[in-house]
Amino acid sequence: MAAKGAMIKCEELPKCEYRNEAALIKPSSETPKHILPLSDVDDQIFLRFSIKCVLVYRGSMEAEWLKLGLSRVLVDYYPLAGRLRTCPVDPQKLEVDCNGEGALFAEAFLDLNSHHFLSFSSKPNASWKTLLYKPMVDALNFTQLPPLLLQVTYLRCGGMILSTAIHHCLCDGIGTSQFLHAWAHITSQSNLARPLIPPFHSRHLLSHRDPTKIHCPHPQYTKTPRANWHMDITKSLQSQPLIPSSSIFTASQILRLKPSFDCTTFEILASHTWRSWIRSLDLPTSLHVKLLFPVNIRNRLSPVIPHGYYGNAFVLGCAESSVNQLAVAHDLNAVVRLVQNAKSIIDHDYVRSTIFLLEDKSLQADLSASLVISDWSKLGLQDLDFGFGKPLEMSPLASDVFCLFLPVIGDIKAVRVLVSLPANVIEKFEYCMTGDYFSDGKTNV
């Protein structure tokens, strides 16, 4: 009789079997009870979703020990054990009721081996939602749920899958990594030590306090989204069935893409991905399109934000040009310059101007004709060790029209580019990503 794992079709996962009810894990000792206002950077409409990630391990640990470590780390990261709510004074704003109610922790079993999961599910798909507790998937309103949800799914081989969901308005990618590393560190220590980096919770540092002159344009935000349906690229893409595209770029391939002048790996891959995305969609040549990407501001303010600051500490960089100028470019030099310029203007004054601007809740990120790229490749999530080894794989729970740069397990200099597109353009996009530069047989992305 064939093993059940061998019968899986089309990368679909079987449903998880839940061994018991999900539990609320409270901090192991008393924590501050107060209302924590979100900063103006935290409280952006487009951040009202959870950062969901999946880690696959060859080994495993008893759930009770993971819960014990979680209970201890929540003493320091106590806002994650609270509850989001709308501000009574201004319903457009959010705040955290730090009440210690706890994070939601679920245990499940999946009749599958880790190598089957990795081979049959090389890219996220709809069946991956079984890896996160069902109420998290089905909830209509994010304030109905704890801002932190975790699921450990044990595998037939003795391995496990750890799925995490942390609400984005409480932290950015760096904060997600900071918390998960703190949990892993505490769990792996027999004495349940304290986090290596104590979190700093005073979010008022990134809220406007004094009137600030908005001295520069901020094209990444708009009050009037483009009303013309065919110009709202993101909305159009999201209305169609999407297929994930995953391309791995090694260090030598990245070097081959780079122009003669100095640039970072992010700058060249972002430029290459943006141009490939534009070329694959056959957009009107006169349309202006944007590339939006988070820029860490922890070291761009004076005084510098304290080490361990726990919250969103980024502003959106924005490169912009016409489809015609981007799509017909014979090399990436001009596109890379656009990305570099978008980063270079983000100084202290620009950040303060952005924070002042964000106090206006009628503003929203202009996603209508934009590709959004977020870089997870340097967050260190591939190094999370709870005491039984580093993960075999790290991935988002789902792929979307927003693009992620991900680490490649076993190759610290490689980057995986993950983005979803409609079936009728996926082949053209992947050719633009790999065929133009790597079609001579010398490389294989």
Side-chain angles (χ1 to χ4, degrees):
M1 180 176 179
K4 290 183 180 180
M7 298 169 63
I8 298 173
K9 298 178 181 179
C10 302
E11 301 186 346
E12 293 292 309
L13 295 180
K15 289 185 178 180
C16 286
E17 302 170 18
Y18 287 93
R19 295 172 169 176
N20 43 48
E21 291 294 323
L24 284 174
I25 308 301
K26 301 177 182 293
S28 60
S29 59
E30 192 68 20
T31 56
K33 302 294 189 293
H34 62 91
I35 302 300
L36 178 66
L38 296 180
S39 76
D40 290 322
V41 178
D42 295 323
D43 202 14
Q44 299 181 69
I45 300 298
F46 87 102
L47 296 184
R48 296 187 178 183
F49 67 95
S50 289
I51 301 173
K52 303 180 183 73
C53 110
V54 172
L55 299 145
V56 184
Y57 290 91
R58 179 176 284 110
S60 63
M61 173 178 282
E62 289 185 9
E64 292 307 313
W65 189 248
L66 289 168
K67 291 177 185 178
L68 186 61
L70 178 61
S71 179
R72 177 60 194 83
V73 78
L74 286 175
V75 174
D76 293 276
Y77 288 85
Y78 65 89
L80 294 177
R83 294 295 180 268
L84 285 163
R85 70 179 197 183
T86 55
C87 178
V89 178
D90 185 351
Q92 287 187 310
K93 296 185 178 182
L94 293 178
E95 59 189 20
V96 186
D97 182 2
C98 299
N99 54 22
E101 285 190 23
L104 197 63
F105 187 99
E107 298 174 55
F109 174 76
L110 191 62
D111 193 12
L112 200 65
N113 291 329
S114 59
H115 71 274
H116 284 149
F117 175 82
L118 295 175
S119 61
F120 283 101
S121 299
S122 58
K123 302 173 189 175
N125 62 62
S127 71
W128 280 33
K129 65 183 181 181
T130 192
L131 299 174
L132 204 56
Y133 190 60
K134 197 172 187 293
M136 185 67 192
V137 177
D138 294 344
L140 298 176
N141 189 331
F142 62 88
T143 59
Q144 299 172 348
L145 298 165
L148 172 61
L149 185 142
L150 305 155
Q151 177 172 314
V152 56
T153 304
Y154 293 102
L155 303 174
R156 187 174 59 217
C157 61
M160 75 176 198
I161 300 173
L162 183 62
S163 305
T164 68
I166 304 178
H167 204 285
H168 204 331
C169 69
L170 287 182
C171 66
D172 51 17
I174 291 174
T176 295
S177 178
Q178 181 181 319
F179 167 75
L180 292 176
H181 274 280
W183 181 27
H185 171 71
I186 285 176
T187 305
S188 65
Q189 304 299 311
S190 59
N191 60 353
L192 294 179
R194 296 197 65 178
L196 294 173
I197 304 175
F200 183 85
H201 294 299
S202 296
R203 294 169 182 246
H204 66 276
L205 296 177
L206 292 182
S207 289
H208 83 285
R209 286 166 284 179
D210 302 313
T212 301
K213 183 179 179 181
I214 300 175
H215 64 282
C216 52
H218 293 275
Q220 60 273 63
Y221 295 104
T222 181
K223 284 190 176 184
T224 55
R226 303 181 201 194
N228 198 341
W229 168 260
H230 75 275
M231 291 299 185
D232 193 333
I233 301 169
T234 300
K235 192 171 183 179
S236 176
L237 292 176
Q238 290 176 329
S239 69
Q240 305 174 59
L242 299 174
I243 297 173
S245 170
S246 178
S247 302
I248 292 177
F249 291 85
T250 64
S252 63
Q253 291 163 341
I254 293 168
L255 184 62
R256 189 169 175 179
L257 284 172
K258 284 189 174 183
S260 56
F261 55 87
D262 189 43
C263 71
T264 67
T265 293
F266 173 80
E267 290 164 358
I268 188 62
L269 277 185
S271 301
H272 180 54
T273 304
W274 187 29
R275 186 176 66 167
S276 299
W277 183 79
I278 290 164
R279 285 178 167 178
S280 69
L281 294 177
D282 293 323
L283 301 171
T285 57
S286 61
L287 179 67
H288 269 246
V289 288
K290 299 174 184 178
L291 173 69
L292 305 181
F293 53 94
V295 177
N296 180 17
I297 59 173
R298 285 166 174 80
N299 296 318
R300 294 177 186 246
L301 288 176
S302 179
V304 173
I305 297 173
H307 189 50
Y309 176 84
Y310 205 70
N312 289 281
F314 72 89
V315 298
L316 285 175
C318 177
E320 182 178 13
S321 189
S322 70
V323 167
N324 182 57
Q325 290 176 317
L326 292 165
V328 301
H330 295 297
D331 58 50
L332 284 170
N333 292 9
V335 188
V336 173
R337 292 293 192 198
L338 289 172
V339 176
Q340 289 181 327
N341 291 339
K343 288 173 62 178
S344 67
I345 64 173
I346 300 176
D347 57 12
H348 173 93
D349 291 339
Y350 187 93
V351 172
R352 282 296 168 200
S353 174
T354 303
I355 292 171
F356 183 73
L357 190 77
L358 290 175
E359 200 273 337
D360 181 354
K361 296 307 173 191
S362 66
L363 278 174
Q364 53 188 295
D366 184 8
L367 306 179
S368 58
S370 304
L371 174 65
V372 181
I373 296 179
S374 186
D375 188 2
W376 288 19
S377 66
K378 302 298 188 293
L379 294 179
L381 295 173
Q382 71 276 17
D383 296 323
L384 280 168
D385 187 349
F386 287 82
F388 46 86
K390 295 179 181 181
L392 299 170
E393 185 59 83
M394 191 285 293
S395 174
L397 184 73
S399 179
D400 202 347
V401 293
F402 304 136
C403 178
L404 291 176
F405 289 176
L406 300 167
V408 177
I409 302 296
D411 188 345
I412 60 173
K413 294 184 178 180
V415 177
R416 180 161 71 105
V417 179
L418 179 68
V419 64
S420 284
L421 289 162
N424 64 329
V425 302
I426 200 79
E427 184 176 350
K428 185 174 181 180
F429 172 75
E430 292 184 342
Y431 175 78
C432 290
M433 285 290 281
T434 63
D436 283 351
Y437 281 82
F438 311 113
S439 60
D440 58 5
K442 294 180 180 179
T443 55
N444 180 25
V445 178

